[in-house]
Amino acid sequence: MLKTITAATLVATVSGKSYGLRGAEAPKVKVTLYEESLCPACVGYFDAGTDLQPVGSGFWLMYEALKDIVDPEVVMWGNAQGDPMGEVECQHGEVECRGNLMFGCAKNQPGITVDQQMNFIHCFDSALITGHPDGLPDGAVDMEEMNTVLKTCAVDASVNFDYDKLDKCATGDDGKKFLAVEANKTPSHGGVPFTVINDGEVTMPPPDDLTAAVCAAYTGDLPAVCTGKVEYVGYNYQLA
């Protein structure tokens, strides 16, 4: 767990790099964010660069800017310990386990799109930042609040999940099975959040400017958002 994210100034520019025309068939950049539902640094990083968290360029901002060239995934296991099919101890307690289970179920519902998944996490994290502007010390979110936020976001128009189906999944064997998938996907690490681009090395802490990192990894013709110069100063949602 990262107790404080220090905002190191980063000036990101890709305009000086030489890119050839490589056609429209270039593979998408696979970007995976590893986190857990109540990790303050994770919540802050996902929404970094938005109006609620107006510094840095985190996962949501990257996804919104680069949907056409990115293959995104968020893996919710983080620093949890134990057997997903049995007993699990999540870093921030049983309330966090509930969130991780619900997000695991959301990823695996038939017909669910990546856009729905990303909007679900964005809605959830935005609600936590709004409700807890000073951070998320242990115990800040109880089970009642967790379930209220999950349900509100599940039925949001941009998400449109069946909350009852998600709840049934999360409280049954399917939830454990999907959580086991998340655990098995999570590589050895020293804390969360961290990222992996194109099955490369673990980057922890993750890039202050994830948008620029994805632009640099893409081998095709760069979208317009990649060719400018943008200044960022990290992200600042602190863990109390």
Side-chain angles (χ1 to χ4, degrees):
M1 178 177 66
L2 303 179
K3 291 208 170 184
T4 302
I5 299 299
T6 302
T9 299
L10 173 68
V11 178
T13 178
V14 295
S15 58
K17 184 172 180 179
S18 176
Y19 288 89
L21 295 179
R22 294 165 182 159
E25 298 304 318
K28 290 187 175 183
V29 180
K30 173 66 177 176
V31 186
T32 307
L33 174 64
Y34 297 85
E35 60 166 33
E36 51 199 19
S37 63
L38 290 182
C39 158
C42 302
V43 171
Y45 187 71
F46 189 91
D47 264 15
T50 67
D51 290 341
L52 290 173
Q53 187 72 358
V55 289
S57 172
F59 204 86
W60 174 253
L61 196 68
M62 176 279 299
Y63 173 68
E64 283 285 276
L66 300 174
K67 285 182 182 182
D68 292 339
I69 69 167
V70 71
D71 176 16
E73 183 177 13
V74 177
V75 176
M76 292 272 188
W77 174 256
N79 296 327
Q81 301 291 324
D83 177 8
M85 299 305 296
E87 295 295 322
V88 173
E89 182 177 351
C90 292
Q91 183 172 1
H92 301 96
E94 64 174 347
V95 180
E96 180 170 78
C97 283
R98 166 69 171 173
N100 293 351
L101 282 162
M102 287 288 279
F103 285 118
C105 286
K107 285 174 66 175
N108 289 279
Q109 295 301 300
I112 295 300
T113 67
V114 170
D115 205 51
Q116 286 175 289
Q117 295 172 33
M118 296 301 113
N119 275 286
F120 191 32
I121 300 171
H122 173 54
C123 176
F124 179 85
D125 287 354
S126 296
L128 293 188
I129 294 172
T130 300
H132 302 273
D134 295 326
L136 288 174
D138 286 346
V141 179
D142 61 18
M143 192 66 78
E144 181 179 3
E145 181 180 2
M146 170 65 78
N147 287 329
T148 297
V149 175
L150 287 170
K151 186 169 186 177
T152 298
C153 291
V155 301
D156 184 86
S158 66
V159 180
N160 196 28
F161 286 160
D162 185 325
Y163 178 81
D164 291 337
K165 284 186 178 180
L166 287 185
D167 181 58
K168 182 177 180 180
C169 170
T171 55
D173 289 341
D174 281 346
K176 294 179 180 180
K177 178 179 70 176
F178 296 142
L179 190 63
V181 172
E182 302 291 275
N184 290 333
K185 286 182 176 181
T186 303
S188 177
H189 60 280
V192 289
F194 65 92
T195 53
V196 173
I197 294 178
N198 285 338
D199 299 320
E201 298 297 318
V202 167
T203 302
M204 197 284 290
D208 282 341
D209 187 346
L210 188 57
T211 300
V214 172
C215 289
Y218 186 55
T219 59
D221 301 337
L222 289 176
V225 71
C226 291
T227 59
K229 181 177 181 179
V230 186
E231 293 188 3
Y232 297 101
V233 289
Y235 47 102
N236 66 354
Y237 198 57
Q238 304 295 318
L239 202 171

